[in-house]
Amino acid sequence: MYKLWQILDPRGILLLIAVFQVAIGLLIHILLLSTVDLNWWEDGRPSPLKAAAAYERSQAGLPY
């Protein structure tokens, strides 16, 4: 194995692996966002209202 690292530059290989993983992660997220069932940005659920959240926190005895 050490002969392989004498032939290849370890810094370049690690950089290549990091770039590949970022590209794969972005690709997977874009594919999921393009589907109807797995799109978490437009899933039809309304965001909770601030007043309702404040009421629930006050009932739980939490500040704000």
Side-chain angles (χ1 to χ4, degrees), residues 9-22:
D9 181 28
R11 289 175 294 175
I13 298 298
L14 289 174
L15 181 64
L16 181 68
I17 290 171
V19 168
F20 177 72
Q21 287 182 341
V22 168

Side-chain angles (χ1 to χ4, degrees), residues 3-60:
K3 289 185 180 183
L4 179 66
W5 292 118
Q6 289 177 346
I7 297 170
L8 300 172
D9 181 28
R11 289 175 294 175
I13 298 298
L14 289 174
L15 181 64
L16 181 68
I17 290 171
V19 168
F20 177 72
Q21 287 182 341
V22 168
I24 291 294
L26 290 173
L27 178 68
I28 290 171
H29 279 80
I30 288 170
L31 288 173
L32 289 175
L33 285 172
S34 68
T35 63
V36 175
D37 292 333
L38 300 175
N39 187 351
W40 61 89
W41 281 346
E42 298 175 2
D43 59 357
R45 291 184 296 166
S47 58
L49 300 173
K50 288 184 180 181
Y55 175 76
E56 289 178 10
R57 289 184 64 82
S58 67
Q59 293 299 316

